[in-house]
């Protein structure tokens, strides 16, 4: 390892990437609308080839390019999957690449959470140049089986369980070993509700299982040792508990000791040692008072050290790691010194001999960049958005402040280049019950590039800040539209208080739950905003919960019903709308069907209110379904509305 680390030191002085000078004019919105030019980059196990997933034209689909690492300037082997679209790539052997493909198979959604795309697997043999598709719809790679050449483990959720009421980590799943050459598959395990999902160790042995005990309403974890066929019960957690228990790995030196992210009676989640023999928590490894433990980092060499946990992570201003492995810590420290604008740096792939690797970095001033270390040379492979220069992007601040009722809050602030005070936009995350870590946010950066300060508040209800902070959004009655909305307004007023934002030039833009918040903002009194932009907005809380009400149980039932049914409901508030409003919705949105927009538009039109509507034809709810034309229309609509229709004089 000493030899490997020294490679970085030898090239530190040689690495120098130029920074272009800043110009005041914002980028054309087309630049932000482009899909990722480079989506992924992976090394073959022997390091002789580099596979890149790239989109060569603004309206094109992803293709795979394979280069010889000793001659990167030579013409690569190219492959597309037309009419399907390559979404993920993996090296199974030195000559075989496995891909996950996506294809649009229908023009309309088939109901809630049943979109227009289907997925399947394929592979290419680089020796024969033969492309092979596998027929299992919905399949995902679960394990690459480094000790079994040309074989992988794939998984899928059988049709009868697709809309099962269980949370995703416990949904019954089938696992098969697939021979990439012959296409033959061998059933490893077909999940059932009592033991629905499994994880595999580095050798491909099932070692961890999860299931649900219907009779007792408990989630159950199981384990088994290598060579055993019987599962042993590890832990039970009531479906009515707000605590978390998640096995994230095991100690490779003492395999009976598991690493678990759990509350274990505390408000914040920590990383614990759990003895599978005694079935008890034995040691608290790491916990914080301000935020939950986020998870772990695994060893960067997945071919030789698949099972090794090297660090624990937590998220505040950025994602931080506390390392257990000094060599891995040293490698990442040196990478962060090498990579321009290093912020969130990770090793995507590494050869079996550990001497070559692909590094990925992203951050406020880096939309995403890929680097190759090979034979002592560190070079840039490509960027997700090569037209966006670091000097013209914006910095990110993490602030803490008090809500009007005294609760501690945090927010991410994207700061435009220039001098404050700026016009400001509140950009609440969706969910609402998700953790948010802002790294490079395209929407925030696009707005900042056009002169707007953007604040992304971590309002009550957000995960990452403990059980009490989460439950405060609904446990004593819904705070949706009430204190959750106050938190968003208070984040804007905090910017004004600090002299960063202009009090008379505030707006809100959100998507999904954020779109709901934007609708609520449009009808609030007293009003602090000049206008509001609601994307994919939940306009009728009752209609939304009715899509899945019958599948709710336990904590999810209490959380969703209390939060949704006691909320301020935008469809009932149209008479109170008092600022200009822009609504945007995808025509095939499966998570928040476009019926929400249709219903709200009729109601607000009946009130004679000022609003505009833009529909993204063929767009689903999720960012990955938005193509170049969708994003161009989205961004042009937002900026035009802010400048021309947002209150008196525009924003």
């Amino acid at each position: 390892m000493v030899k490997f680390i020294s490679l970085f030191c030898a090239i530190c002085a040689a690495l120098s990437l130029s920074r272009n000078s800043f110009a005041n004019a914002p980028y054309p919105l087309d630049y932000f609308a482009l899909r990722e030019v480079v989506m992924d980059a992976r090394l073959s196990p022997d390091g002789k080839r580099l596979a890149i997933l790239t989109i060569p034209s603004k309206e094109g689909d992803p293709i795979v390019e394979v280069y010889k690492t000793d001659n990167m300037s030579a013409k690569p082997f190219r492959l597309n999957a037309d009419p399907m679209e390559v979404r993920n790539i993996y090296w199974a052997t030195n000559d075989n690449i496995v891909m996950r493909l996506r294809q649009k198979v229908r023009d309309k959604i088939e109901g809630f959470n049943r979109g227009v795309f289907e997925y399947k697997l394929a592979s290419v043999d680089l020796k024969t140049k033969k492309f092979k598709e596998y027929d299992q719809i919905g399949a995902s790679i679960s394990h690459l089986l480094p000790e079994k050449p040309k074989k992988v483990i794939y998984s899928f959720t059988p049709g009868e369980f697709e809309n099962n009421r269980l949370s995703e980590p416990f949904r019954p799943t089938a696992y098969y070993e697939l021979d990439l050459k012959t296409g033959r598959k061998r059933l490893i395990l077909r999940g059932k509700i009592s033991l629905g999902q499994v994880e595999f160790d580095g050798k491909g042995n099932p070692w961890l299982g999860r299931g649900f005990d219907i009779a007792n309403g408990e989630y159950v974890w199981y384990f088994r040792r290598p060579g055993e066929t019987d599962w042993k019960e590890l832990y039970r957690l009531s479906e009515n508990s707000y605590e978390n228990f998640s096995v994230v790995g095991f100690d490779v030196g003492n395999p009976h000791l598991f690493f678990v992210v759990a509350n274990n009676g505390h408000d914040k989640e920590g990383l614990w040692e759990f003895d599978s023999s005694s079935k008890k928590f034995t040691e608290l490894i790491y916990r914080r008072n301000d935020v939950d433990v986020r998870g772990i980092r695994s060893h960067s060499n997945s071919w030789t050290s698949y099972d090794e946990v090297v660090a624990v992570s937590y998220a505040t201003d950025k994602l931080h790691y506390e390392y257990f492995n000094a060599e891995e810590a040293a490698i990442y420290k040196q990478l962060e010194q090498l990579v321009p604008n290093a912020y969130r740096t990770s090793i995507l792939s590494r050869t079996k001999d550990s001497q070559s690797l692909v590094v990925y970095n992203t951050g406020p001033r880096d939309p995403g960049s890929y680097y190759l270390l090979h034979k002592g040379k560190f070079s840039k492979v490509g960027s997700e958005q090569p037209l966006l220069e670091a000097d013209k992007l914006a910095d990110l601040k993490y602030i803490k402040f008090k809500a009007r009722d005294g609760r501690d809050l945090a927010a991410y602030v994207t700061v435009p280049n220039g001098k404050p005070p700026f016009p400001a936009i509140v950009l609440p995350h969706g969910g609402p019950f998700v953790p948010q870590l802002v790294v490079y946010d395209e929407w925030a950066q696009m707005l900042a590039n056009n002169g707007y300060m953007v604040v992304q508040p971590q309002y009550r209800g957000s995960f990452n800040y403990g059980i009490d902070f989460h439950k405060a959004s609904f446990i004593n009655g819904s705070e949706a539209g009430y204190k959750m909305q106050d938190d968003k307004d208070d984040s804007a007023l905090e910017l004004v208080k600090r002299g960063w934002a202009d009090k008379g030039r505030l707006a809100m833009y959100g998507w999904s739950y954020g779109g709901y918040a934007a609708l609520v903002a449009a009808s609030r009194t007293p009003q602090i905003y000049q206008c509001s932009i609601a994307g994919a907005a939940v306009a009728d809380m009752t209609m939304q919960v009715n899509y899945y009400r019958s599948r709710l149980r336990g904590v999810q039932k209490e959380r969703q019903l209390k939060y949704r049914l006691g909320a301020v409901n935008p469809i009932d508030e149209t008479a109170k709308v008092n600022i200009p409003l822009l609504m945007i919705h995808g025509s095939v949105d499966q998570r928040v069907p476009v019926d929400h927009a249709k219903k709200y538009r009729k109601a607000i039109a009946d009130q004679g209110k000022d609003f505009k509507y833009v529909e993204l034809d063929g767009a689903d709810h999720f960012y990955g379904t938005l193509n170049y034309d969708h994003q161009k229309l989205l961004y042009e609509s937002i900026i035009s509305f802010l400048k021309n229709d947002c209150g008196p004089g525009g924003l």
Side-chain angles (χ1 to χ4, degrees):
M1 182 57 70
V2 174
K3 180 180 179 182
F4 176 71
I5 293 176
S6 68
L7 295 175
F8 292 99
C9 299
I11 61 173
C12 284
L15 180 66
S16 176
L17 299 181
S18 64
R19 293 167 63 91
N20 293 295
S21 59
F22 172 72
N24 290 325
Y27 281 122
L29 293 173
D30 303 51
Y31 286 22
F32 289 98
L34 288 172
R35 297 173 70 191
E36 298 89 341
V37 174
V38 178
M39 299 175 67
D40 201 356
R42 303 277 169 172
L43 277 167
S44 61
D46 61 6
K48 293 182 179 180
R49 293 188 179 102
L50 177 69
I52 298 175
L53 187 58
T54 179
I55 301 179
S57 63
K58 65 183 181 182
E59 279 117 5
D61 286 332
I63 65 170
V64 180
E65 295 183 339
V66 183
Y67 294 83
K68 293 181 179 179
T69 49
D70 285 344
N71 187 11
M72 291 288 290
S73 61
K75 183 178 179 180
F77 167 73
R78 289 188 173 92
L79 172 75
N80 67 42
D82 187 53
M84 302 197 78
E85 179 182 331
V86 183
R87 299 299 298 170
N88 306 98
I89 55 175
Y90 314 85
W91 286 95
T93 71
N94 293 323
D95 301 309
N96 288 86
I97 297 175
V98 187
M99 294 161 282
R100 193 171 193 232
L101 312 177
R102 181 180 79 175
Q103 185 174 357
K104 185 178 179 182
V105 296
R106 59 186 73 92
D107 292 325
K108 296 181 179 180
I109 63 174
E110 293 188 340
F112 181 70
N113 273 358
R114 294 184 64 85
V116 299
F117 292 96
E118 296 285 4
Y119 294 81
K120 66 191 305 186
L121 298 177
S123 69
V124 60
D125 186 321
L126 295 174
K127 282 187 175 180
T128 64
K129 304 297 189 292
K130 288 185 177 180
F131 177 81
K132 187 175 183 64
E133 290 185 31
Y134 307 101
D135 58 6
Q136 181 58 63
I137 299 298
S140 298
I141 294 292
S142 290
H143 202 297
L144 294 174
L145 294 175
E147 296 189 3
K148 291 185 177 182
K150 296 189 178 181
K151 291 187 177 181
V152 299
I153 296 174
Y154 77 82
S155 63
F156 73 99
T157 302
E160 65 266 33
F161 294 120
E162 280 186 337
N163 291 311
N164 192 277
R165 68 181 62 185
L166 293 177
S167 60
E168 190 170 337
F170 293 87
R171 199 166 295 160
T173 301
Y175 298 86
Y176 288 84
E177 183 180 274
L178 174 67
D179 188 309
L180 298 176
K181 183 176 182 180
T182 66
R184 295 192 184 97
K185 60 184 181 182
R186 177 181 66 85
L187 179 65
I188 298 173
L189 184 146
R190 183 179 172 85
K192 49 189 177 181
I193 289 177
S194 60
L195 205 165
Q197 291 201 346
V198 301
E199 293 184 17
F200 301 86
D201 66 17
K203 296 182 182 296
N205 300 311
W207 72 278
L208 181 69
R210 295 179 289 257
F212 186 70
D213 182 340
I214 295 177
N216 293 303
E218 293 177 321
Y219 297 108
V220 189
W221 284 259
Y222 302 89
F223 73 97
R224 75 186 203 190
R225 312 288 187 204
E228 296 179 347
T229 57
D230 293 332
W231 292 94
K232 299 181 179 67
E233 187 176 306
L234 180 72
Y235 190 80
R236 285 177 173 261
L237 183 68
S238 169
E239 65 175 335
N240 297 311
S241 174
Y242 283 90
E243 292 201 8
N244 179 42
F245 180 94
S246 178
V247 181
V248 294
F250 60 85
D251 186 336
V252 292
N254 299 283
H256 67 288
L257 298 177
F258 291 178
F259 296 124
V260 174
V261 173
N263 296 90
N264 193 22
H266 298 269
D267 181 63
K268 305 292 192 300
E269 296 173 21
L271 182 66
W272 298 80
E273 181 184 88
F274 191 94
D275 192 325
S276 62
S277 299
S278 65
K279 302 177 185 177
K280 293 181 178 179
F281 290 95
T282 52
E283 181 184 350
L284 175 61
I285 300 172
Y286 188 83
R287 189 177 71 237
R288 299 179 62 83
N289 293 323
D290 53 349
V291 293
D292 294 327
V293 159
R294 188 82 166 193
I296 53 97
R297 170 169 266 177
S298 298
H299 197 284
S300 59
N301 194 328
S302 60
W303 298 107
T304 62
S305 304
Y306 182 91
D307 298 314
E308 186 176 351
V309 175
V310 301
V312 58
S313 65
Y314 65 92
T316 50
D317 58 323
K318 60 187 293 187
L319 194 62
H320 295 271
Y321 293 94
E322 296 289 338
Y323 283 90
F324 317 134
N325 182 309
E327 291 178 341
E328 287 283 293
I331 290 171
Y332 277 103
K333 183 177 181 180
Q334 292 185 59
L335 285 174
E336 289 166 0
Q337 295 171 349
L338 283 172
V339 174
N341 301 294
Y343 194 84
R344 185 173 181 178
T345 306
S346 57
I347 297 172
L348 288 186
S349 74
R350 192 171 172 184
T351 54
K352 284 187 176 180
D353 65 7
S354 291
Q355 294 301 296
S356 298
L357 51 80
V358 172
V359 178
Y360 175 73
N361 180 70
T362 186
R365 291 187 180 268
D366 184 354
S369 299
Y370 298 82
Y371 299 86
L372 172 66
L373 173 65
H374 181 65
K375 293 187 176 180
K377 182 181 178 181
F378 191 75
S379 57
K380 189 172 184 177
V381 171
S383 297
E384 292 184 4
Q385 299 292 354
L387 297 178
L388 303 180
E389 305 163 81
D391 286 354
K392 289 192 69 174
L393 294 174
D395 285 330
L396 184 68
K397 294 180 181 288
Y398 182 72
I399 65 171
K400 294 182 179 182
F401 59 100
K402 294 281 188 182
R404 64 189 67 181
D405 66 350
R407 184 171 286 274
D408 292 324
L409 298 175
Y412 296 93
V413 182
T414 303
V415 185
N417 293 306
K419 293 183 178 181
F422 301 100
I425 296 174
V426 179
L427 179 58
H429 62 74
F433 307 125
V434 297
Q436 183 180 39
L437 170 63
V438 177
V439 182
Y440 172 84
D441 189 295
E442 182 172 285
W443 291 350
Q445 288 288 340
M446 181 276 294
L447 290 166
N449 191 251
N450 282 273
Y452 301 103
M453 175 171 276
V454 180
V455 59
Q456 294 169 272
Q458 304 310 295
Y459 48 83
R460 70 194 71 198
S462 304
F463 289 153
N464 191 49
Y465 297 93
I467 294 173
D468 178 71
F469 188 82
H470 167 61
K471 290 172 68 175
S473 62
F474 61 86
I475 202 65
N476 294 317
S478 179
E479 295 296 351
Y482 301 105
K483 290 183 180 179
M484 291 172 74
Q485 200 74 18
D486 291 344
D487 292 347
K488 301 171 186 64
D489 293 357
D490 289 347
S491 71
L493 296 175
E494 179 67 20
L495 301 186
V496 173
K497 178 181 176 182
R498 296 185 182 211
W500 297 351
D502 185 339
K503 186 177 182 179
R505 302 177 71 196
L506 304 176
M508 183 179 288
Y509 164 52
W511 194 268
S512 192
Y513 165 83
Y516 159 84
L519 292 182
V520 173
S523 61
R524 283 204 117 191
T525 304
Q527 182 58 263
I528 69 168
Y529 302 109
Q530 279 192 234
C531 67
S532 191
I533 304 172
V538 176
D540 187 335
M541 283 292 216
T542 304
M543 183 169 76
Q544 184 69 12
V545 79
N546 283 344
Y547 292 134
Y548 53 84
R549 185 197 293 257
S550 64
R551 300 201 296 271
L552 294 172
R553 59 182 301 153
V555 161
Q556 275 283 38
K557 186 173 184 177
E558 180 178 54
R559 174 192 291 135
Q560 288 292 330
L561 294 184
K562 283 189 173 182
Y563 148 68
R564 290 206 184 272
L565 299 183
V568 172
N569 202 10
I571 196 67
D572 300 326
E573 301 285 307
T574 53
K576 300 178 182 178
V577 171
N578 51 43
I579 53 175
L581 175 66
L582 170 64
M583 298 178 64
I584 305 169
H585 220 107
S587 67
V588 292
D589 191 322
Q590 62 176 296
R591 183 60 59 86
V592 183
V594 73
D595 288 348
H596 279 272
K598 293 177 180 177
K599 188 174 182 180
Y600 189 88
R601 283 162 53 206
K602 183 181 184 308
I604 197 172
D606 289 345
Q607 297 291 339
K609 299 294 183 177
D610 183 13
F611 79 97
K612 290 190 172 184
Y613 178 69
V614 174
E615 190 159 292
L616 306 178
D617 185 42
D620 198 344
H621 191 75
F622 310 105
Y623 178 81
T625 69
L626 303 185
N627 60 31
Y628 168 78
D629 290 331
H630 293 146
Q631 301 216 100
K632 187 171 185 289
L633 177 57
L634 173 67
Y635 296 156
E636 288 176 348
S637 300
I638 289 172
I639 296 302
S640 174
F641 182 77
L642 289 173
K643 291 188 179 301
N644 301 314
D645 301 286
C646 185
L651 194 63

